[in-house]
Amino acid sequence: MFARVGRIQARPEQLDAAVSYLDEQIIGGERGLKNAYALIDRQSGKLMTLTLWETAPDLQATADLALDILREASRRAGASAEPVVETYEVVLTE
């Protein structure tokens, strides 16, 4: 399994706009998508996304789309910097 983690530093009062946009974009029909999460810290304005994928090719096939979605969420959240996106291999699950 593979994971994509996105991080946005937003204005705390605009987090809900970003989360609402992310919710609209996660359709669940992407090949290999197992789960998607959004985590927020309302005090600091931090937003993190986590998507889990069956295979590395499934994750890589959506890389450009994921970055576009995170950039738009970042804009809606009033972020002043580009989102940070990282990918990982999941090696431990419960």
Side-chain angles (χ1 to χ4, degrees):
M1 186 172 1
F2 293 83
R4 178 182 298 114
V5 176
R7 291 191 313 259
I8 296 170
Q9 180 62 55
R11 292 185 175 159
E13 67 275 8
Q14 291 179 255
L15 280 171
D16 288 330
V19 171
S20 179
Y21 173 74
L22 289 170
D23 187 42
E24 293 170 6
Q25 298 306 308
I26 306 240
I27 297 168
E30 295 296 331
R31 176 183 162 92
L33 178 64
K34 296 188 66 77
N35 255 318
Y37 303 92
L39 306 117
I40 60 172
D41 180 331
R42 289 191 185 277
Q43 290 190 350
S44 69
K46 291 180 183 176
L47 183 150
M48 185 167 39
T49 62
L50 170 66
T51 54
L52 299 173
W53 301 85
E54 289 181 13
T55 68
D58 291 337
L59 179 137
Q60 292 166 353
T62 60
D64 291 339
L65 176 61
L67 184 56
D68 289 345
I69 290 170
L70 285 170
R71 283 181 174 149
E72 179 60 19
S74 187
R75 186 191 69 75
R76 291 179 186 219
S80 58
E82 283 283 307
V84 174
V85 179
E86 300 171 322
T87 59
Y88 298 91
E89 181 179 1
V90 177
V91 296
L92 183 62
T93 64
E94 183 152 334

